[in-house]
């Protein structure tokens, strides 16, 4: 069922490709069915599992872990590569299910919003929607996979799929070079993190071999063995690998969740259409990193490095994002930086959770982690940020996305601006939104942790500044949209360029409301949750909480607004919140930070790109000379070295290779036709380099090949002979054709390079040696002493069979009897009664090897063949195309999309 | 290219026979010398000979589709044969157990006429190989041949 839920969005998204382009409404209906189906299925699982999840709710976080990875929560196992620990299995624990429901639920809203955003009458509406639904469906599936996958490698796989879909969606406008560059930037940055995650997962699996046989490759396993792992993590000096595993995984989480200084890709990603920004770059994908940290949290919180690494990065990101967000003009950039800020907060939240503090309750001293209701924090952000983006995209459609152009916009577009203003209240954490409670909980966490380690008061200060910035943004949005005094106006942006890019005609009709309604639907959850946390929020989201532990001392469930207000006088966080609201109000009205600033981090990627491209290019030119002779020399030399090493190893170990080979070589002279034809083959081969003409050389090469055909024939290998014959014919024809295409040959240039002769001879001898070794397989076959029983050469491995015999046994059903003779198994002969041959079901050993024993190889080989042919067809485009001017226009694609992006990347994003 | 009447006439008889022989080789391959790879190569040689003797336009008439379609079809057949046990095993087989990719079956299929025919699943895989080899060889040769052969259209225009 989880499997269906995960793959429904991409399947139905792709299914829309079969619908005609003009069917916009029906296309939307089919596509929306994907996330909707996923949502319903996951909801049913959540309802079914809520009993189990509730059980672990009151426990301390150390015990909570056991309530998760229970066996019955893992579903849908489908073997893929069991030997490599990669299978399809899904872990539907609280955290995963919550994220999956968030993704599919927000997904439904975004799928609907896309219809409103791309519109109906626009010049590219139909085309955009035609491309959009499959791509966004692909992303939805990937994201569901990330949060639900049980196998670590499977998570990684889906993780990379989200990066790819994000790349496709950021570079949505394929002809906009800047968008393509920004897409590359996001892809490279998150791809780098993906490599980190890959490394982390591998190191983790290898380092945990002493806890679980074969290592831990499943999240459920990790949670199951959390106690053993925590013990290992506390003695980290004995298990340094685990620490590196965590660091690598954090690199993955940090780049994906846009942590400072890797946050630059997220504002850049705003080049994507707004549905994408609202979905991927605020509500879901960027939370993948937070999710990963949350997944690791129950176990890795025991690691001393966990808070030390996460809190500084998270707090720095939070502060930086908040301060920069205030000084932006583009609505999408404002909200992008607040997203960065909020992601930092979420990271810091998990970091703080690793710190245990003491408190007194009912006269008893208890300890608890400084974290409370992590899922509430995450959900709260999604429920105000997605509506903000939805409204920002909508207002950008009808007016402008530049906040300085929007003075008094509320009176023109009430619904859109109303949605934005309501969501901005969530951003400011005004009492009455669930955001207020979430901020309160975070402040409590900081306060408790700071009592343990005083350094964290700095984090408290950073939080206050960030909160002030957020409130100020909210105030500016309200005053500007309502046209009040103190709002942003054109006077604040003297150098602004007026971009009326996607100036769509205002659409009418019921479906036109889809441009704002999904946002309003999402933001309503903010207020429902904020006003009725006990009746509404708690029952729904309480079951998913991973860290609802400390609720015992504070309040049962997410705190009530009334509770906070009445207990205000004894709590520091409440006064901090109030201070932030008041200070934010004045900052928002003031002239402070009204100009748009540039983010210095926007230069990180271009500079790194430039360094790696120029440096890499220099290395490339040294290693890749482009001269075929050099490559060949390297390949053959390396082969000879390896071969020499193997022979030396065998001789020093007293192996019988040398004797076996000499015996096999002696047997070669027993059969005269073979010698004669072999001589012809050698002669023609030696003649090849003696001529100057390419064509003559090809003819000699062909002659060698035909001699080999005859050789196969006299040794009774008709299959090989036939193949070789046909292959020689085709290769000679190909050679002749290609040689005629080459420029005229220069005579006498290659003469006199005698040092090539010994290499050629050595390579030939080495290959001959290898063949003989394969044929003899160290048994000294056929070479017996006079009694006919004792082998002359003592076999190094008495059970070894010659290669041919082994293969024949599997193919024909040949059997070695007790006397060591091989004979055909008669019982296995073919017949219509159902008894078939052994092994591959055929008696032609060559073919059975090709299509059965090594069938996978053959499949790979024909794929390579197809690729080679594709290479020919693409590198030599069809000649007729040249005379067809239409084709030329079609291929006019931004070829130089990879040029060093050193201009003002990230600024003035268009979408 | 060259176009001798002797070659053209002879090829009229050789060409169908060679194709038939190639197909025979591919079918017979599991128990006797032959196989998809060899069959494909033989057919490719036959088609090349046809291209040499009859010229490009005749070749286009004989094979109106681009060789890449043949390659794609071959790859699809081979891949589907490989995937078949993975779907058949857990869902349709008697044992209801997972089967590895490319696991082979060797059933005797009763066609209604004559004796039951030994039809291993590898046969279909081999047919895929046959099509890929034909498509790749013919495609490459014809494409490269166009580079050196005077383009009939351009000659006609000149």
């Amino acid at each position: 069922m989880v499997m269906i839920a995960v793959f429904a969005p991409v399947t139905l998204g792709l299914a829309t490709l079969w619908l005609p382009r003009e069917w916009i409404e029906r296309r939307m209906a089919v596509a929306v069915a994907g996330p909707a189906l996923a949502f319903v299925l996951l909801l049913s699982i959540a309802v079914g599992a809520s009993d189990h999840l509730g059980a672990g709710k009151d426990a301390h976080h150390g015990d909570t872990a056991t309530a998760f990875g229970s066996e019955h929560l893992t579903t849908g196992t489908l073997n893929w590569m069991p030997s490599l620990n990669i299978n399809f299995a899904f872990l539907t624990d609280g955290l995963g299910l919550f994220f999956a429901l968030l993704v599919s639920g927000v997904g439904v809203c975004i799928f609907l919003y896309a219809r409103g955003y791309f519109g109906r009458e626009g010049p590219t509406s139909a085309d955009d929607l035609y491309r959009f639904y499959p791509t966004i469906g692909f992303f939805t599936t990937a994201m569901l996979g990330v949060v639900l996958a049980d196998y670590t490698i499977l998570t990684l796989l889906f993780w990379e799929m989200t990066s790819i879909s994000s790349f496709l969606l950021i570079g949505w406008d394929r002809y906009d070079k800047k968008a393509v560059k920004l897409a590359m930037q996001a892809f490279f940055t998150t791809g780098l993190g993906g490599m980190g995650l890959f490394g982390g997962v591998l190191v983790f699996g290898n380092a945990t071999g002493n806890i679980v046989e074969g290592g831990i490759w499943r999240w459920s396993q990790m949670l199951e063995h959390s106690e053993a792992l925590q013990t290992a993590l506390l003695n980290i000096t004995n298990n340094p690998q685990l620490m590196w595993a965590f660091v690598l995984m954090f690199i993955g989480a940090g780049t994906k969740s846009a942590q400072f200084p890797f946050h630059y890709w997220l504002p850049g990603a705003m080049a994507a259409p707004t549905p994408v920004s609202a979905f991927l770059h605020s509500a879901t994908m960027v939370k993948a990193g937070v999710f990963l940290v949350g997944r690791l949290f129950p176990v890795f919180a025991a690691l001393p490095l966990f808070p030390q690494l996460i809190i500084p990065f998270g707090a720095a990101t939070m502060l930086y994002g908040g301060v920069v967000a205030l000084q932006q003009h583009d609505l999408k950039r404002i909200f992008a930086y607040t997203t960065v800020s909020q992601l930092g907060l979420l990271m810091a939240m998990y970091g703080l959770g690793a710190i245990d503090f003491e408190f007194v309750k009912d006269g008893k001293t208890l300890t608890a982690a400084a974290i409370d209701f992590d899922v509430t924090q995450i959900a709260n952000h999604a429920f105000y940020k997605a509506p903000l983006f939805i409204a920002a995209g909508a207002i950008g459609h009808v007016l402008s996305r530049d906040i300085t152009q929007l003075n008094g916009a509320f009176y023109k577009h009430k619904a859109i601006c109303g949605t934005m203003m309501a969501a901005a209240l969530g951003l400011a954490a005004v009492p009455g939104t669930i955001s207020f409670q979430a901020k309160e909980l975070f402040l409590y966490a900081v306060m408790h942790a700071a009592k343990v380690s005083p350094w964290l008061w700095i984090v408290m200060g950073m939080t206050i500044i960030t909160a002030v910035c957020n409130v100020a943004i909210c105030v500016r949005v309200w005053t500007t949209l309502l046209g009040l005094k103190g709002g942003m106006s054109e006077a604040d942006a003297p150098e602004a360029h007026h971009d009326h890019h996607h100036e769509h005609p205002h659409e009418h009709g019921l479906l036109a409301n889809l441009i704002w309604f999904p946002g309003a639907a999402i933001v309503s959850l903010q207020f429902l949750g904020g006003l009725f946390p006990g009746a509404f929020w708690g029952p729904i989201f309480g079951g998913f909480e991973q860290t609802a532990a400390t609720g015992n001392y504070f309040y049962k469930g997410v705190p009530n607004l009334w509770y906070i207000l009445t207990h205000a006088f004894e709590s520091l966080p409440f006064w901090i919140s109030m201070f932030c609201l008041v200070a934010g109000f004045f900052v928002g009205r003031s002239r402070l930070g009204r100009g748009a600033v540039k983010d210095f981090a926007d230069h990180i990627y271009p500079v790194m790109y430039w360094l790696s491209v120029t440096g890499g290019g220099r290395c490339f030119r040294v290693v890749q000379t482009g001269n075929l002779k050099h490559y060949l020399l390297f390949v053959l030399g390396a082969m000879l070295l390896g071969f020499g090493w193997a022979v030396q190893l065998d001789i020093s170990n007293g192996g019988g290779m040398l004797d076996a080979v000499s015996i096999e070589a002696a047997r070669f002279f027993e059969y005269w036709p073979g010698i004669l034809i072999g001589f012809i083959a050698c002669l023609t081969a030696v003649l090849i380099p003696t001529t100057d003409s390419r064509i003559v050389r090809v003819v000699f090469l062909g002659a060698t090949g035909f001699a080999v055909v005859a050789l196969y024939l006299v040794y009774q290998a008709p299959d090989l002979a036939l193949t070789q014959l046909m292959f020689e014919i085709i290769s000679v024809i190909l050679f002749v054709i290609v040689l005629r295409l080459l420029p005229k040959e220069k005579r006498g240039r290659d003469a006199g390079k005698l040092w090539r002769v010994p290499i050629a001879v050595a390579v030939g001898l080495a290959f001959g040696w290898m063949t003989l070794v394969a044929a003899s397989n160290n048994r000294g076959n056929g070479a017996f002493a006079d009694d006919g029983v004792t082998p002359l050469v003592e076999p190094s491995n008495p059970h070894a069979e010659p290669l041919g015999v082994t293969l024949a046994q599997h193919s024909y059903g040949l059997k070695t009897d007790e006397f060591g003779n091989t004979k055909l198994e008669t019982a296995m002969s073919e017949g219509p009664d159902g008894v078939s041959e052994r092994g591959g079901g055929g008696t032609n050993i060559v073919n059975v090897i090709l299509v059965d024993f090594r069938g996978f190889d053959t499949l790979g080989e024909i794929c390579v063949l197809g690729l080679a042919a594709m290479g020919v067809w693409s590198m030599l485009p069809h000649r007729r195309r040249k005379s067809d001017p239409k084709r030329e226009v079609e291929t006019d694609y931004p070829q130089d999309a990879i040029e060093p992006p050193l201009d003002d990347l990230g600024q003035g994003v268009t979408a | 290219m060259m176009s001798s009447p002797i070659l053209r006439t002879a090829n009229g008889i050789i060409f169908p026979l060679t194709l038939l022989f190639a197909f025979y080789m591919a079918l017979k391959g599991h128990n006797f010398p032959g196989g998809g790879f060899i069959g494909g190569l033989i057919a490719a040689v036959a088609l090349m000979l046809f291209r040499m003797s009859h010229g490009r336009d005749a070749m286009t008439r004989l094979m109106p589709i681009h060789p890449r379609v043949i390659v794609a079809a071959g790859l699809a057949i081979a891949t589907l044969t490989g995937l078949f046990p993975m779907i058949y095993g857990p869902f349709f087989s008697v044992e209801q157990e997972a089967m590895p990719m490319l696991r082979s079956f060797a059933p005797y299929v009763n066609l209604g006429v004559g004796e039951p025919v030994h039809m291993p699943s590898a046969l279909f895989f081999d047919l895929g190989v046959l099509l890929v080899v034909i498509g790749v060889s013919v495609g490459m040769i014809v494409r490269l041949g166009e580079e050196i052969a005077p383009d009939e259209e351009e000659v006609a225009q000149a």
Side-chain angles (χ1 to χ4, degrees):
Chain A
M1 200 151 76
V2 185
M3 187 84 89
I4 296 172
V6 167
F7 286 100
V10 70
T11 316
L12 286 168
L14 287 175
T16 60
L17 288 176
W18 270 278
L19 301 176
R21 278 174 192 251
E22 312 79 55
W23 289 14
I24 287 178
E25 271 73 36
R26 274 168 277 193
R27 174 183 307 285
M28 179 189 75
V30 171
V32 163
L37 180 66
F39 186 76
V40 170
L41 286 176
L42 292 164
L43 201 62
S44 70
I45 295 170
V47 169
S50 60
D51 299 338
H52 304 295
L53 294 168
K57 207 170 148 186
D58 298 327
H60 181 261
H61 83 276
D63 312 32
T64 324
T66 48
F68 289 95
S70 344
E71 201 60 40
H72 54 262
L73 291 175
T74 313
T75 54
T77 305
L78 181 71
N79 279 354
W80 181 13
M81 286 183 256
S83 48
L84 293 177
N85 289 304
I86 307 173
N87 291 322
F88 281 104
F90 296 101
L91 175 65
T92 51
D93 69 342
L95 189 68
L97 260 185
F98 160 71
F99 264 99
L101 285 171
L102 181 72
V103 170
S104 49
V106 176
V108 170
C109 295
I110 295 297
F111 276 49
L112 292 171
Y113 171 61
R115 157 66 187 83
Y117 178 83
F118 288 116
R120 177 167 191 97
E121 273 92 37
T124 57
S125 296
D127 186 54
D128 273 335
L129 285 170
Y130 182 76
R131 287 199 292 139
F132 183 77
Y133 280 127
T135 325
I136 201 86
F138 173 63
F139 164 75
T140 313
T141 289
M143 195 60 215
L144 287 173
V146 167
V147 296
L148 288 173
D150 189 16
Y151 281 86
T152 50
I153 302 270
L154 196 62
T155 303
L156 175 84
L157 190 84
F158 284 119
W159 182 283
E160 298 292 2
M161 276 163 62
T162 61
S163 292
I164 294 168
S165 52
S166 158
F167 166 76
L168 292 173
L169 289 163
I170 296 170
W172 186 251
D173 192 349
R174 289 164 292 179
Y175 303 106
D176 182 352
K177 278 188 190 175
K178 191 166 254 166
V180 172
K181 268 181 208 165
L182 291 165
M184 299 275 282
Q185 165 179 311
F187 184 66
F188 276 131
T189 312
T190 53
L192 177 81
M195 292 304 290
L197 176 64
F198 192 20
V201 161
L202 293 181
V203 173
F204 182 64
N206 281 321
T208 47
N210 55 350
I211 292 167
V212 179
E213 178 74 31
I216 291 177
W217 297 96
R218 307 176 68 155
W219 300 118
S220 59
Q221 264 180 342
M222 183 188 83
L223 296 169
E224 253 172 61
H225 298 90
S226 62
E227 282 179 23
L229 275 170
Q230 279 168 352
T231 322
L233 285 166
L234 285 171
N235 312 314
I236 196 66
T237 40
N238 297 334
N239 304 285
Q241 279 193 324
L242 281 176
M243 190 183 77
W244 290 115
F246 169 69
V247 170
L248 286 170
M249 284 198 248
F250 181 67
I251 292 175
T255 49
K256 196 73 158 182
S257 279
Q259 297 297 295
F260 183 84
F262 293 112
H263 66 275
Y264 54 81
W265 72 264
L266 185 54
M270 294 303 141
T274 309
V276 176
S277 306
F279 193 23
L280 274 71
H281 304 126
S282 74
T284 57
M285 189 187 84
V286 289
K287 294 227 177 63
V290 175
F291 164 79
L292 185 68
V293 173
R295 180 59 95 206
L296 299 174
F297 172 73
V299 172
F300 277 86
L303 183 71
L305 188 70
F306 189 86
Q308 291 163 10
L309 188 66
I310 292 184
I311 294 176
F313 275 107
T317 312
M318 176 176 71
L319 179 66
Y320 189 80
V323 172
V324 176
L326 183 63
Q327 307 174 49
Q328 295 294 326
H329 283 167
D330 185 351
L331 278 176
K332 278 180 84 175
R333 279 184 79 80
I334 296 176
F335 299 144
Y337 275 105
T338 57
T339 307
V340 169
S341 166
Q342 183 72 17
L343 290 168
L345 182 142
L346 293 173
M347 281 284 178
M349 171 189 76
Y350 278 115
L352 292 166
I355 298 173
D356 283 355
F357 68 96
E358 291 183 345
F359 65 98
V360 180
K361 188 187 182 185
D362 302 336
K364 282 182 283 183
T365 306
L366 305 168
T367 53
I371 183 171
D372 222 354
F373 300 104
D374 53 340
V375 162
T376 298
Q377 297 275 8
I378 294 160
N380 136 58
H381 175 237
F383 291 162
Y384 72 76
K385 193 52 63 63
L388 276 180
F389 271 111
I390 287 177
I395 198 78
H397 245 280
V398 292
L399 283 175
S400 164
R401 244 172 44 205
D402 193 333
I403 193 168
T404 58
Q405 306 283 317
L406 291 175
N407 209 309
F410 178 74
Y411 306 108
K412 288 184 215 155
H413 303 282
K414 286 202 170 62
I416 295 171
C417 294
T419 308
M420 191 190 290
M421 284 152 68
L425 288 179
L427 174 69
V430 170
T433 58
I434 190 70
S435 190
F436 176 66
Q437 273 96 330
K439 290 277 153 43
E440 201 74 359
L441 288 167
F442 182 73
L443 290 170
Y444 267 103
V446 179
M447 186 182 76
H448 289 310
K451 281 179 184 165
V452 178
S453 131
W455 282 103
L456 293 173
W457 287 113
I458 298 174
V459 176
M460 182 64 99
M462 293 161 102
T463 316
I464 293 171
I465 298 174
T466 313
V468 168
C469 290
N470 281 348
V471 176
I473 291 167
C474 172
V475 169
R476 281 192 187 159
V477 166
W478 273 71
T479 50
T480 308
L481 291 182
L482 289 173
L484 299 178
K485 195 163 160 279
M488 304 285 279
S489 64
E490 291 189 23
D492 293 315
E495 79 287 3
H497 51 287
H498 303 282
D499 53 336
H500 291 283
H501 33 270
H502 282 287
E503 194 67 48
H504 288 233
H506 194 47
E507 203 182 328
H508 294 283
L510 188 65
L511 286 166
N513 291 322
L514 282 176
I515 201 163
W516 63 272
F517 182 72
I522 298 175
V523 81
S524 65
L525 294 172
Q526 271 283 344
F527 293 96
L528 283 173
L531 294 170
F532 313 107
F536 172 77
W537 189 272
I540 294 179
F541 293 95
F544 300 121
E545 298 287 355
Q546 191 167 217
T547 56
T550 47
N552 279 339
Y553 87 94
F554 182 43
Y555 184 79
K556 285 214 180 300
V558 174
N560 203 319
L561 192 59
W562 180 244
Y563 179 88
I564 295 176
L565 290 177
T566 50
H567 289 67
F569 298 100
E570 53 199 71
S571 69
L572 178 64
F574 176 77
W575 292 114
I576 292 178
S577 293
M578 289 300 124
F579 168 74
C580 292
L581 284 174
V582 175
F585 178 75
F586 284 112
V587 171
R589 296 295 302 264
S590 74
R591 306 293 313 163
L592 214 60
R594 293 221 166 195
V597 294
K598 286 198 176 190
D599 184 358
F600 84 90
D602 282 342
H603 297 294
I604 294 177
Y605 171 76
V607 169
M608 298 231 297
Y609 186 94
W610 183 79
L611 282 177
S612 53
V613 165
T614 48
R618 220 156 265 176
C619 293
F620 183 81
R621 277 189 288 280
V622 171
V623 180
Q624 304 283 341
T625 57
N627 191 335
L628 184 65
K629 285 165 203 155
H630 294 172
Y631 294 133
L632 209 59
L633 189 67
F634 273 115
V635 170
L636 294 179
M639 197 212 77
L640 280 178
L641 277 180
F643 176 76
W645 185 51
V647 171
Q648 209 276 329
L649 212 64
D650 184 72
I651 291 172
S652 63
N653 289 343
M657 207 210 270
L658 200 63
D659 297 314
V661 166
S662 55
I663 288 166
E664 284 296 324
R667 287 179 66 197
F668 177 73
F669 293 98
E670 288 166 13
Y671 193 58
W672 282 103
I675 298 169
L676 282 175
I677 296 170
F679 179 71
I680 296 172
C682 290
L683 188 71
T684 47
V686 168
L687 284 174
I688 294 173
T690 57
T691 80
D692 272 341
S693 159
R694 285 175 182 149
I695 295 289
V696 177
R697 285 181 193 177
V698 168
V699 170
F700 275 131
L701 197 63
T704 315
F706 286 119
V708 173
V709 170
L711 206 60
Y712 284 143
L713 273 181
V714 298
Y715 282 109
Q716 298 169 1
D719 267 289
L720 293 182
L722 257 175
T723 314
Q724 180 80 17
L725 181 68
M726 292 302 142
F727 190 74
E728 283 304 328
I729 294 171
I730 292 180
S731 61
V732 166
I733 295 177
L734 266 180
F735 263 128
V736 171
I737 292 176
V738 172
L739 284 185
R740 281 192 54 182
L741 289 174
L742 287 181
K744 225 171 155 54
E745 38 199 322
K746 293 171 196 149
R747 283 170 188 278
R749 284 285 303 272
D750 292 344
K753 298 235 169 134
L754 277 176
W755 54 269
R756 287 186 200 148
V757 174
I759 291 179
V761 171
V763 170
L765 284 178
F767 268 101
W769 180 291
M770 283 184 213
T771 314
L772 292 177
V773 169
S776 74
N777 201 10
N778 265 3
R779 268 175 62 99
N781 264 354
F784 295 104
D786 292 338
D787 59 354
V789 177
T790 323
L792 269 179
V793 180
E794 202 55 46
S796 57
N797 176 9
H799 303 292
E801 296 274 4
L803 204 57
V805 175
T806 315
L807 288 171
Q809 271 180 340
H810 283 92
S811 171
Y812 302 124
L814 283 180
K815 202 171 115 183
T816 314
D817 62 13
E818 58 268 38
F819 304 110
N821 301 317
T822 40
K823 61 182 183 185
L824 203 67
E825 263 183 22
T826 46
M828 288 295 200
S829 62
E830 59 183 274
D833 50 3
V835 180
S836 60
E837 298 85 349
R838 264 178 67 172
T843 51
N844 176 4
I845 181 169
V846 178
N847 195 256
V848 169
I849 292 172
L850 278 178
V851 300
D852 196 326
F853 296 134
R854 312 298 303 173
F856 218 65
D857 287 356
T858 311
L859 190 62
E861 276 157 20
I862 56 176
C863 289
V864 171
L865 263 183
L867 283 177
M870 257 189 266
V872 171
W873 293 323
S874 56
M875 282 189 279
L876 300 172
H878 203 273
R879 187 171 276 189
R880 272 181 214 158
R881 217 176 254 190
K882 274 184 197 159
S883 54
D884 189 354
K886 259 198 229 160
R887 297 269 188 176
E888 292 291 319
V889 176
E890 266 179 36
T891 54
D892 184 22
Y893 184 79
Q895 297 280 335
D896 47 353
I898 316 176
E899 72 189 16
L902 265 175
D903 51 348
D904 56 338
L905 187 72
Q907 288 293 324
V909 169
T910 57
Chain B
M1 269 180 134
M2 60 181 163
S3 177
S4 92
I6 298 171
L7 183 62
R8 217 177 314 166
T9 318
N11 204 17
I13 304 161
I14 294 170
F15 179 66
L17 278 181
T18 325
L19 278 190
L20 193 67
F21 181 61
F23 195 59
Y24 170 81
M25 275 292 187
L27 286 184
K28 216 57 188 160
H30 217 49
N31 287 332
F32 298 95
F37 195 74
I38 299 176
L41 286 177
I42 294 173
V45 170
L47 286 165
M48 258 181 248
L49 204 59
F50 182 83
R51 165 75 176 77
M52 282 185 195
S53 59
H54 286 66
R56 198 185 75 178
D57 287 349
M59 188 71 190
T60 319
R61 273 196 300 280
L62 183 75
M63 244 166 77
I65 48 172
H66 194 282
R68 69 181 156 219
V69 180
I70 303 178
V71 175
L75 276 178
I77 291 175
T79 314
L80 287 179
T81 315
L83 290 178
F84 171 72
M86 295 177 78
I87 297 155
Y88 174 81
F91 300 116
F92 301 105
S93 69
V94 183
E95 302 89 13
Q96 296 274 320
E97 60 187 17
M99 287 182 183
M101 195 176 176
L102 272 172
R103 187 228 161 107
S104 62
F105 302 92
Y108 283 81
V109 182
N110 202 333
L111 294 180
V113 189
E115 286 183 18
V117 184
H118 183 204
M119 204 177 273
S121 61
L123 178 71
F124 299 100
F125 187 74
D126 238 5
L127 286 179
V129 176
L130 173 94
L131 289 180
V132 172
V133 173
I134 292 179
V136 169
S137 338
V138 172
M140 280 202 214
I141 298 264
V142 168
R143 184 65 203 86
L144 288 171
E146 264 171 30
E147 288 292 313
I148 43 170
D151 201 320
E152 269 113 309
E153 283 175 25
E154 283 170 20
V155 171
Q157 281 169 5

